[in-house]
């Protein structure tokens, strides 16, 4: 029953994640045509500060709820599960109010002195209103993951995106003629509307479920679990604050570095917007399956760890890492072969397509890091994950400051590859230290590399003379690539190779 529920939740999360990413990429494509690469870069600057504020408002809450509710309900302790929810929501009220105040009152200084663009101030003030709703929703979504009712989280996130798009589309009718500053305000209003309305939706779902699932919880005695909540949330939050501050500094350094390299403000924002708001979302789109699976690993591994099922965790870790690499290699190959067509089809931007081709080899590293982080968080190794993220961001800040003014976009790409590799290597190294993994060189690396290489070569020559539209080239080419890759994996399976080697011996 548990396995069926897990598989069902993977399907639900994957479908929801794909829908969210399609909506997001479609929305980004629409926005890029409305406000251009410079407008995308300007809002990305605003969003970098908003991300820091949202980290202050929510960090540690989601993980604390998911871990503690999953563990306590797994033990049949409804009172402590209810208490954990109560403490997390109170904690969220306090920190989100602080974050909201900091963003509102600090917006003028941040916009003029740090970001160097006063057009960002009004958008940051508008976004301050979204943070309390975000903190509450974070607790509720963590609860739904803990009880494996993931459709509620999925439906709320899709609803949030749809509301956001509707509000932005309506706001653009009024604000777009006023320039990029007001266009960013319109996007910010969409975020506030989405967060506010979906909070009420998830809160109603939570109240209905709580009456059914925790009817014996009483008042929950929240003070008895406050220490447990804070022991998870506070260290994670403090580390996340540092991590997020470094990421924000990275995002400020990127357009500043492009300007030092020789680009004017418009060109710097356009290059920044292209990489952060166009290329990276498409690069991470196929990770919908990986992200969905990884998010479900946290409560599962936490419950297994609480009940002493270490051997199952070891086996899951091995299968997850191997499966992620099997999945990521054809994805990277598809971006190498069809990146330019994808960029042109989605954004009408040939340069974004070329950057997809350049960034394609990064996908296996990014995807492996996603699953390694999720497994570590389920094993109570969240501080290691954050420590590695801080190392990653610190290196990024140092290298961006040093290389970007000298090498421009090539320096940015070099930094991204290097720091992503360091982060993934540290996470996987820690994972192998806390589990027992049986690594098989051919099955884990040799087979998928061979299969991806064969599929890529065949598709490259087959697509050389295609004359139909870029959209059809992408659809047909990716389908062909997937079919050849799967066939190649089957041919090179260890059992088949072994049979081919042993059959002549039997005949003789």
């Amino acid at each position: 029953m548990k396995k069926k529920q897990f598989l069902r939740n993977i399907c639900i999360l994957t479908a929801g994640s794909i829908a969210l990413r399609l909506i997001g990429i479609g929305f980004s494509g629409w926005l890029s045509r409305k406000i251009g690469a410079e407008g995308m870069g300007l809002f990305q600057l605003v969003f970098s500060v908003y991300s820091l504020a949202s980290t202050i408002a929510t960090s540690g809450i989601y993980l604390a709820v998911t871990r503690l509710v999953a563990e306590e309900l797994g033990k049949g302790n409804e009172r402590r599960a209810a208490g954990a929810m109560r403490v997390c929501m109170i904690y969220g009220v306090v920190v989100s109010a602080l974050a909201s105040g900091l963003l509102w009152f600090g917006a003028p200084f941040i916009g003029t002195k740090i970001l160097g663009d006063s057009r960002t101030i009004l958008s940051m003030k508008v976004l301050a209103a979204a943070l309390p709703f975000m903190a509450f929703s974070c607790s509720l979504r963590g609860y739904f993951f803990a009880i494996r009712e993931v459709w509620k989280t999925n439906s709320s996130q899709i609803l949030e995106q749809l509301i956001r798009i509707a509000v932005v589309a309506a706001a653009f009718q009024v604000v777009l003629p006023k320039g990029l500053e007001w266009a960013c305000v319109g996007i910010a209003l969409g975020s506030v509307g989405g967060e506010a309305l979906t909070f009420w939706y998830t809160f109603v779902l939570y109240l209905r479920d709580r009456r059914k699932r925790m009817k014996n919880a009483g008042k929950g005695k929240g003070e008895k679990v406050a220490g447990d909540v804070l022991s998870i949330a506070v260290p994670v939050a403090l580390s996340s604050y540092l991590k997020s501050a470094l990421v924000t500094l990275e995002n400020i350094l990127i357009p500043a570095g492009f300007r030092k390299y020789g680009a004017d403000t418009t060109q710097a924002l356009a290059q920044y917007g292209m990489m952060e708001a166009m290329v990276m979302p498409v690069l991470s789109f196929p990770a919908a399956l990986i992200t969905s699976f990884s998010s479900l690993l946290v409560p599962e591994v936490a419950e297994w760890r609480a009940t002493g099922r270490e051997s199952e965790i070891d086996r899951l870790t091995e299968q997850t890492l191997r499966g992620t690499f099997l999945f990521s290699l054809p994805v990277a190959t598809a971006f190498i072969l069809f990146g330019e067509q994808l960029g042109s089809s989605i954004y009408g931007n040939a340069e974004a397509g070329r950057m997809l081709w350049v960034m394609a080899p990064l996908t296996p590293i990014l995807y492996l890091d996603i699953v390694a982080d999720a497994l570590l968080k389920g094993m109570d190794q969240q501080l290691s994950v954050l420590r590695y993220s801080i190392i990653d961001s610190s290196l990024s800040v140092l290298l961006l400051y040093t290389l970007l003014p000298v090498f421009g976009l090539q320096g940015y790409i070099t930094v991204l590859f290097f720091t992503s590799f360091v982060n993934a290597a540290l996470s996987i190294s820690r994972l192998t230290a806390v589990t027992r993994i049986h690594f098989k060189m051919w099955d884990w690396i040799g087979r998928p590399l061979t299969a991806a290489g064969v599929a890529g070569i065949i598709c490259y020559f087959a697509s050389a003379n295609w004359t139909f539209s870029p959209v059809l080239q992408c659809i047909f080419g990716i389908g062909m690539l997937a079919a050849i890759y799967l066939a190649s994996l089957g041919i090179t399976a260890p059992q088949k190779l072994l049979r081919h080697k042993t059959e002549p011996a039997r005949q003789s």
Side-chain angles (χ1 to χ4, degrees), residues 188-363:
L189 286 171
S191 296
V192 174
E195 292 289 352
L197 293 177
T198 52
F199 158 69
W200 289 108
Y201 169 75
T202 51
F203 188 59
V204 170
L205 291 177
Y206 167 70
L207 291 178
R208 291 177 60 187
D209 188 88
R210 189 183 186 282
R211 281 195 294 268
K212 176 182 68 175
R213 193 177 301 273
M214 297 193 210
K215 54 189 175 184
N216 300 318
K219 292 196 177 288
K221 299 295 181 184
E223 68 278 2
K224 291 189 176 181
V225 293
D228 293 337
V229 169
L230 295 176
S231 70
I232 296 173
V234 172
V236 170
L238 292 175
S239 302
S240 294
Y241 298 163
L242 177 58
K243 158 70 177 173
S244 190
L246 289 168
V247 170
T248 303
L249 182 57
E250 284 180 54
N251 289 326
I252 294 168
L253 284 173
I254 293 168
F258 286 144
R259 283 194 291 267
K260 289 180 181 178
Y261 181 68
D264 60 26
T265 300
T266 299
Q267 291 172 326
L269 286 173
Q271 286 182 311
Y272 174 58
M274 179 189 68
M275 292 301 298
E276 295 293 323
M278 297 182 187
V279 174
M280 296 309 293
V282 176
L283 206 67
S284 62
F285 173 77
L289 177 61
I290 302 294
T291 306
S292 303
F293 181 71
S294 298
S295 60
L296 288 172
L297 289 178
V298 177
E300 290 294 331
V301 173
E303 185 178 312
W304 290 359
R305 182 175 171 273
T307 53
R309 296 157 66 183
E310 280 80 8
S311 61
E312 293 185 46
I313 295 175
D314 294 342
R315 186 164 59 252
L316 177 66
T317 300
E318 187 175 310
Q319 293 171 347
T320 301
L321 290 176
R322 177 172 168 266
T324 301
F325 197 69
L326 281 169
F327 172 76
S328 63
L329 277 180
V331 171
T333 307
F335 281 128
I336 290 171
L337 291 174
F338 307 109
E340 290 192 35
Q341 294 92 324
L342 282 168
S344 299
S345 302
I346 297 169
Y347 299 113
N349 188 316
E351 182 64 21
R354 283 190 288 273
M355 284 302 105
L356 274 173
W357 178 84
V358 171
M359 301 299 290
L362 191 61
T363 49

Side-chain angles (χ1 to χ4, degrees), residues 46-47 82 84 88 126 146-147 149 153 207 257 295 397 423 451 483 505:
V46 175
F47 190 78
C88 285
V126 171
I147 63 171
E149 293 283 348
T153 295
L207 291 178
S295 60
V397 167
N423 194 2

Side-chain angles (χ1 to χ4, degrees), residues 72-285:
E72 298 304 333
L73 289 180
K75 298 173 186 175
N77 197 333
E78 295 177 6
R79 293 176 71 85
R80 284 180 61 80
M85 278 299 298
R86 183 172 290 105
V87 172
C88 285
M89 295 187 81
I90 294 170
Y91 176 81
V93 170
V94 175
V95 293
S96 65
L98 174 64
S100 188
L102 287 172
L103 187 58
W104 174 273
F105 292 108
F109 175 80
I110 295 168
T112 54
K113 302 297 184 183
I114 299 177
L115 300 182
D117 199 319
S118 60
R119 294 176 295 175
T120 60
I121 295 172
L122 191 53
S123 297
M124 285 189 280
K125 287 192 169 187
V126 171
L127 286 167
L131 296 175
F133 297 110
M134 181 185 290
F136 277 118
S137 297
C138 192
S139 294
L140 299 173
R141 288 170 182 168
Y143 171 81
F144 294 138
F145 261 92
I147 63 171
R148 282 71 160 182
E149 293 283 348
V150 298
W151 70 266
K152 295 175 181 176
T153 295
N154 254 23
S155 60
S156 70
Q157 290 175 321
I158 292 172
L159 179 63
E160 179 189 331
Q161 281 282 63
L162 294 176
I163 293 169
R164 180 187 177 204
I165 292 169
V167 173
V168 172
F172 268 18
Q173 300 299 315
V174 178
V175 301
L176 201 55
K178 297 182 179 181
L180 291 182
E181 178 182 4
W182 283 93
C184 289
V185 171
I187 302 171
L189 286 171
S191 296
V192 174
E195 292 289 352
L197 293 177
T198 52
F199 158 69
W200 289 108
Y201 169 75
T202 51
F203 188 59
V204 170
L205 291 177
Y206 167 70
L207 291 178
R208 291 177 60 187
D209 188 88
R210 189 183 186 282
R211 281 195 294 268
K212 176 182 68 175
R213 193 177 301 273
M214 297 193 210
K215 54 189 175 184
N216 300 318
K219 292 196 177 288
K221 299 295 181 184
E223 68 278 2
K224 291 189 176 181
V225 293
D228 293 337
V229 169
L230 295 176
S231 70
I232 296 173
V234 172
V236 170
L238 292 175
S239 302
S240 294
Y241 298 163
L242 177 58
K243 158 70 177 173
S244 190
L246 289 168
V247 170
T248 303
L249 182 57
E250 284 180 54
N251 289 326
I252 294 168
L253 284 173
I254 293 168
F258 286 144
R259 283 194 291 267
K260 289 180 181 178
Y261 181 68
D264 60 26
T265 300
T266 299
Q267 291 172 326
L269 286 173
Q271 286 182 311
Y272 174 58
M274 179 189 68
M275 292 301 298
E276 295 293 323
M278 297 182 187
V279 174
M280 296 309 293
V282 176
L283 206 67
S284 62
F285 173 77

